[in-house]
Amino acid sequence: MNSSTRRLSVASAVAAVLATPAAFAQIDEIVVTAQKREQSLQEVPIAVSAFSSEQLERAGIADIRDLMALSPSLVMTSSAGEAAGAVARIRGIGTTGDNAGLESSVAVFVDGVYRNRNSVALTDLGQIERIEVLRGPQGTLFGKNASAGLIHVITKQPEFETSGYVHLSGGNYDYVRAAGGITAPIIEDTLAFRVDANFTQRDGFIEDLVTGDDYNDRDRVLVRGQLLFQPNEIFNARIIGDWADRTETCCAAVTLIEGPTRFLIQGLGGSVVSPPDPYSRLSTINPERGYQQDVEEWGVSGEFTLDFENISVTAITAHRLWELDRSQDIDFTNADILYRPPNEGYQQRFETFTQELRIAGSTDRVDWMIGGFYADENLQLADAIRVGRDFEGFANGLLGGALPLFTGLPPGSSFVDGDGGQLDLFRQGAESWAIFTHNTARLTDRLDFTVGIRYTEETKDFFAALQSRNNACFSTLNRVPALVGAGLQPGQIAQGLGLICLPFFNPLVDGVYRDKRADREWTGTISLAYELSDNMNAYLSMGRGYKAGGFNLDRAGLANPIPGLLGLAPPVQPSAADLEFGNETVDAYEAGLKSQLFDNLVTLNLAAFYSEFNDFQLNTFTGINFIVSNVAKATTKGIEADFAAFVSDALTLSGGVTYSDARYGGGITSPPGSPVPLAGRRLTNAPLWSSALAATLEQPLTGNLTGLLHVDMRFTGNLNSGSDLLPQKQQGGFTVWNARIGVSSPDRRWQFELWGRNLFDKEYQQVAFNAPLQGSVAGGTQTFNTFLAEPRTWGGTVRINF
């Protein structure tokens, strides 16, 4: 079935629902906090989707990445490490790559607390009350780094009636998941607690061709404890503490397109999957290097509310610590060429304190809010990219056997195991504060006018200490006159030095770097909302958002002095300024219609949007380094529709469709090293069309049982998964189906379900990339690798509620 037919099928299904004249239930009012006060979803002048705990459970949503199944405007991908390379995109806009210096375009909040990066939020969710996906910039109430939208996760809070649950699941790839929790009063109607815990394990779905070991597994633990204190009708306090641990092997890649360097790898004793068959899910991995990924995090937060007759005061205080330790076989072969060693190869640490204070009130005609926000974030990153035992032989092969000529060193002594990057240490302290106000005036009984504004100041202090060991580079530089005398041209010498003095262990940029930058930005929103009828609301809005500037935490971003030393370019001296990039701003315009039809049996919401990003932050991976730059302009424009419908007491349908055209500006200049002109092209992982559809049938059966059948699908149009938009990284459109069937007692005290995700085992990529040092894009010899999406998974779940 082609993409047009799929879209027609979805549209026909929606039309059938809307045309249904008879139904036996009504859609309950959905309450959201998209404007930091409880409001009906249908009254909020924002394009927002809300998913209840029941919807999430039926769709098998275990972490934020799974949310794509229900939200067509959302795209989530993972690359070299889920714990450092997860990216969320809304309407085609997101932050590409795993550079910790780049903050997220899609903000993630959990119980009102900001999570620093999308990767930091990619963990088991535990018991969820609902998830809200807000589309478009949310710069007034949520501040910086929500320029494309945000995801707000609201967990279930303690209750004053005792209840609990135990959930057990098992499936293919030796999948095991156990979850349990209890909530109960400590002091009747005054103090209650809640404890939830999850444990998940699953084997990987990438197999090593030689050893048979599997990679890309799951091994996660989450524990969350809460206290709810309500001594009277005025004061409310909710204290949350959580701890999570992940010990996984992620992320192995497979070969997508094979280049001639495979013969060199085989000559070094390595194995290759040839011809490449990415969906055989076979890879070649050096067992000494691997892809270990260990994450530990914990946090404590408190939300305190004073609620008077017409005024409420809310304070949210939080402290979080997140630590990552990751090793990596960088060349993605089982030859020992490049690696990050365990326990020192790649480490990240975020320690964050946030404080928010809001005062809100209302009169007959005005809802008002003023507030302030403070954040203190300390980021540490340690990175070491080293050469393995086979690097010298590999480099010599790439230079046609001329490595000894370049270095002047005896064979076997130019590079030894452990040379290269010894330790690059980056520290970044970010301190920001903001004041904001958000107000809605009821101009008439049907017309509301909303205006919000926020002022943010942020300073970032940057420090880097870079250390490498690369005697071959110095030796070659000293031999430049001899190489010229031997008849080598400057371009040939530069090519050799480019390999011997690779950007990630170029000793000419070793040293200590310091810098500081400040952002001062105004953001805000203006909207008009008009009640066309009791069941239909329209709105127009304009909004401005921004994403903070910062520093590229990658030594490869420093200016390379070698071309200047060879007379091929003006002389340069690397400095911290080379790593700095500016902040990104967005101006957004939106028109929407929210309606409830057929006596509230159907909810149908529409939105048309246009957003223009200035100084758009782009992170491009060339195969050997990341280039971070601001490009002048990017835009996203399109339309969205989402619906929910009760066809009968037993059958409900929901879904949506998004047309989003996200492109670079027509007059932009591509960043240095980008092989494809970006001007006018669609952004990375930005499908033009995407849609989602879910159907749930729940009906009494014989024998005092209730039956459940749930099916959902997600269609994603064709896209380019590479940050440089090379044609080899194109991914065609695909549809993923999920399903769940089960039985339960009428009161849901127990449930048994069988489920499947990616039922038809659809094969598709998440991110394709240039294999490091394995060929040339310009010469057409480049090897391309890719990180695959998960294959079909299936299993069963038993739920016991008490």
Side-chain angles (χ1 to χ4, degrees):
M1 183 184 292
N2 61 35
S3 59
S4 299
T5 306
R6 291 191 188 99
R7 290 196 293 270
L8 182 60
S9 298
V10 173
S12 299
V14 174
V17 173
L18 300 183
T20 302
F24 307 96
Q26 289 187 338
I27 296 173
D28 294 331
E29 181 181 61
I30 300 173
V31 176
V32 296
T33 54
Q35 297 190 130
K36 294 198 173 181
R37 63 171 81 234
E38 291 189 350
Q39 295 175 280
S40 167
L41 173 66
Q42 294 304 102
E43 295 176 355
V44 177
I46 297 173
V48 55
S49 301
F51 306 102
S52 67
S53 59
E54 189 173 49
Q55 287 176 288
L56 299 170
E57 184 178 283
R58 287 171 173 171
I61 307 299
D63 62 34
I64 290 175
R65 186 181 56 178
D66 298 331
L67 198 59
M68 280 179 58
L70 300 178
S71 182
S73 293
L74 176 66
V75 173
M76 287 208 70
T77 57
S78 300
S79 56
E82 283 193 339
V87 175
R89 292 176 174 84
I90 290 179
R91 294 174 173 173
I93 302 295
T95 301
T96 299
D98 57 357
N99 191 317
L102 281 159
E103 302 186 57
S104 305
S105 298
V106 177
V108 178
F109 286 77
V110 179
D111 293 321
V113 177
Y114 177 60
R115 298 296 176 96
N116 307 74
R117 306 291 187 269
N118 293 160
S119 305
V120 173
L122 192 67
T123 186
D124 274 12
L125 296 176
Q127 289 296 101
I128 302 301
E129 182 66 32
R130 71 181 180 278
I131 298 179
E132 301 173 10
V133 180
L134 282 64
R135 307 187 290 275
Q138 307 298 320
T140 305
L141 293 171
F142 294 93
K144 69 185 184 76
N145 305 331
S147 54
L150 70 89
I151 302 169
H152 194 183
V153 179
I154 298 96
T155 65
K156 287 190 175 181
Q157 66 177 19
E159 298 176 354
F160 290 105
E161 292 186 8
T162 301
S163 64
Y165 66 93
V166 175
H167 299 169
L168 299 174
S169 299
N172 64 335
Y173 294 99
D174 290 334
Y175 173 78
V176 176
R177 187 174 192 270
I182 187 170
T183 182
I186 299 174
I187 301 174
E188 185 177 1
D189 296 329
T190 300
L191 181 65
F193 78 93
R194 183 181 189 98
V195 177
D196 298 286
N198 297 340
F199 167 78
T200 304
Q201 275 192 344
R202 191 209 67 200
D203 289 346
F205 55 82
I206 300 295
E207 181 182 343
D208 186 274
L209 176 69
V210 179
T211 66
D213 294 338
D214 60 80
Y215 292 83
N216 300 11
D217 61 356
R218 290 279 183 274
D219 192 343
R220 301 180 177 181
V221 178
L222 168 69
V223 180
R224 181 185 294 125
Q226 302 184 57
L227 287 174
L228 179 63
F229 181 50
Q230 293 180 338
N232 51 51
E233 295 182 355
I234 295 176
F235 181 70
N236 180 299
R238 184 184 181 192
I239 309 297
I240 305 173
D242 64 85
W243 172 83
D245 182 82
R246 297 162 60 183
T247 306
E248 302 171 343
T249 57
C250 189
C251 296
V254 298
T255 302
L256 181 67
I257 298 174
E258 183 181 66
T261 55
R262 76 174 180 91
F263 298 109
L264 182 53
I265 293 168
Q266 288 173 318
L268 294 169
S271 302
V272 297
V273 180
S274 182
D277 180 11
Y279 296 107
S280 68
R281 300 187 183 273
L282 290 174
S283 187
T284 55
I285 299 158
N286 190 299
E288 298 178 47
R289 308 309 181 192
Y291 302 98
Q292 190 58 37
Q293 175 182 272
D294 299 335
V295 178
E296 185 174 9
E297 65 173 311
W298 62 268
V300 178
S301 66
E303 182 174 356
F304 309 92
T305 303
L306 284 169
D307 198 353
F308 302 104
E309 184 175 353
N310 292 314
I311 296 177
S312 66
V313 180
T314 302
I316 301 177
T317 306
H319 178 266
R320 298 203 61 82
L321 181 67
W322 184 89
E323 295 179 303
L324 161 68
D325 186 356
R326 176 162 69 100
S327 63
Q328 187 183 25
D329 182 1
I330 293 176
D331 54 273
F332 297 93
T333 76
N334 65 349
D336 191 13
I337 301 173
L338 291 167
Y339 66 95
R340 284 186 168 105
N343 304 318
E344 57 181 333
Y346 191 86
Q347 297 175 319
Q348 280 187 30
R349 185 180 191 270
F350 283 102
E351 185 171 12
T352 311
F353 172 81
T354 57
Q355 175 67 62
E356 182 171 9
L357 177 65
R358 302 192 305 268
I359 304 174
S362 61
T363 66
D364 289 342
R365 286 293 182 182
V366 177
D367 294 331
W368 57 269
M369 180 187 298
I370 58 173
F373 180 81
Y374 173 79
D376 186 10
E377 174 189 286
N378 289 294
L379 164 62
Q380 293 185 26
L381 170 64
D383 196 8
I385 298 178
R386 298 180 180 167
V387 304
R389 292 182 299 274
D390 295 327
F391 182 84
E392 179 165 325
F394 186 74
N396 192 35
L398 293 178
L399 293 175
L403 181 63
L405 172 64
F406 277 93
T407 66
L409 299 173
S413 61
S414 292
F415 291 98
V416 296
D417 185 7
D419 278 2
Q422 297 307 295
L423 181 65
D424 288 351
L425 177 63
F426 298 90
R427 294 196 188 103
Q428 179 179 276
E431 188 174 25
S432 66
W433 62 269
I435 54 174
F436 58 89
T437 182
H438 189 267
N439 312 282
T440 299
R442 287 174 284 280
L443 302 181
T444 71
D445 289 343
R446 291 186 177 272
L447 180 63
D448 289 353
F449 173 68
T450 298
V451 60
I453 193 167
R454 186 183 188 107
Y455 176 73
T456 303
E457 281 197 12
E458 178 176 60
T459 58
K460 285 183 176 175
D461 290 300
F462 170 80
F463 169 85
L466 313 180
Q467 180 185 4
S468 64
R469 184 173 67 227
N470 189 348
N471 294 329
C473 181
F474 288 121
S475 180
T476 303
L477 286 168
N478 289 331
R479 284 181 49 78
V480 167
L483 296 174
V484 173
L488 272 68
Q489 298 299 313
Q492 293 173 299
I493 298 172
Q495 183 180 6
L497 280 167
L499 176 63
I500 296 167
C501 309
L502 280 166
F504 37 73
F505 48 69
N506 182 350
L508 298 187
V509 302
D510 283 1
V512 174
Y513 299 83
R514 290 183 172 90
D515 205 349
K516 186 173 184 177
R517 63 165 284 116
D519 283 339
R520 297 175 180 86
E521 282 293 337
W522 291 91
T523 55
T525 186
I526 298 174
S527 69
L528 280 172
Y530 186 73
E531 185 181 349
L532 299 171
S533 68
D534 291 343
N535 296 310
M536 188 172 294
N537 298 294
Y539 67 89
L540 293 170
S541 69
M542 296 185 296
R544 182 175 176 84
Y546 99 100
K547 187 167 69 165
F551 297 91
N552 178 5
L553 304 187
D554 185 343
R555 70 149 61 203
L558 291 164
N560 186 356
I562 291 177
L565 294 176
L566 298 177
L568 299 175
V572 296
Q573 180 65 36
S575 71
D578 300 333
L579 302 175
E580 186 176 359
F581 55 89
N583 62 301
E584 167 188 301
T585 60
V586 55
D587 295 307
Y589 308 89
E590 186 169 298
L593 180 69
K594 298 190 172 187
S595 62
Q596 290 180 298
L597 310 171
F598 307 118
D599 197 22
N600 293 343
L601 300 177
V602 174
T603 295
L604 176 64
N605 297 332
L606 306 171
F609 58 88
Y610 175 82
S611 297
E612 183 174 279
F613 293 78
N614 295 295
D615 297 319
F616 184 77
Q617 295 170 4
L618 177 64
N619 188 31
T620 304
F621 181 60
T622 67
I624 58 172
N625 64 306
F626 287 97
I627 299 172
V628 180
S629 60
N630 293 94
V631 297
K633 187 169 293 185
T635 61
T636 181
K637 58 186 176 183
I639 55 174
E640 298 167 322
D642 59 79
F643 79 96
F646 274 103
V647 181
S648 70
D649 281 339
L651 178 61
T652 59
L653 296 178
S654 62
V657 60
T658 297
Y659 170 83
S660 177
D661 189 6
R663 294 182 183 271
Y664 294 107
I668 71 167
T669 301
S670 299
S674 181
V676 174
L678 300 183
R681 293 171 61 89
R682 293 219 313 268
L683 272 61
T684 303
N685 271 306
L688 202 60
W689 286 96
S690 55
S691 60
L693 180 65
T696 301
L697 179 65
E698 193 167 12
Q699 188 164 320
L701 305 174
T702 58
N704 200 28
L705 296 175
T706 298
L708 168 71
L709 174 63
H710 172 88
V711 178
D712 62 71
M713 60 77 70
R714 158 74 185 235
F715 166 73
T716 303
N718 67 81
L719 52 85
N720 193 301
S721 68
S723 56
D724 51 13
L725 301 183
L726 286 171
Q728 294 89 342
K729 301 173 184 179
Q730 193 72 19
Q731 167 65 56
F734 57 90
T735 303
V736 175
W737 291 84
N738 308 309
R740 183 174 297 263
I741 186 170
V743 294
S744 68
S745 62
D747 58 4
R748 293 191 179 180
R749 289 288 183 179
W750 64 266
Q751 298 167 269
F752 173 70
E753 299 166 352
L754 297 174
W755 48 264
R757 298 188 62 80
N758 193 2
L759 273 177
F760 302 109
D761 203 18
K762 184 63 182 177
E763 299 170 338
Y764 62 100
Q765 310 168 40
Q766 293 191 86
V767 175
F769 63 99
N770 303 0
L773 302 183
Q774 295 174 50
S776 163
V777 172
T781 62
Q782 178 67 56
T783 292
F784 294 93
N785 291 341
T786 185
F787 298 105
L788 298 180
E790 293 185 2
R792 174 172 50 226
T793 55
W794 51 263
T797 298
V798 176
R799 307 180 196 273
I800 300 173
N801 303 305
F802 56 87

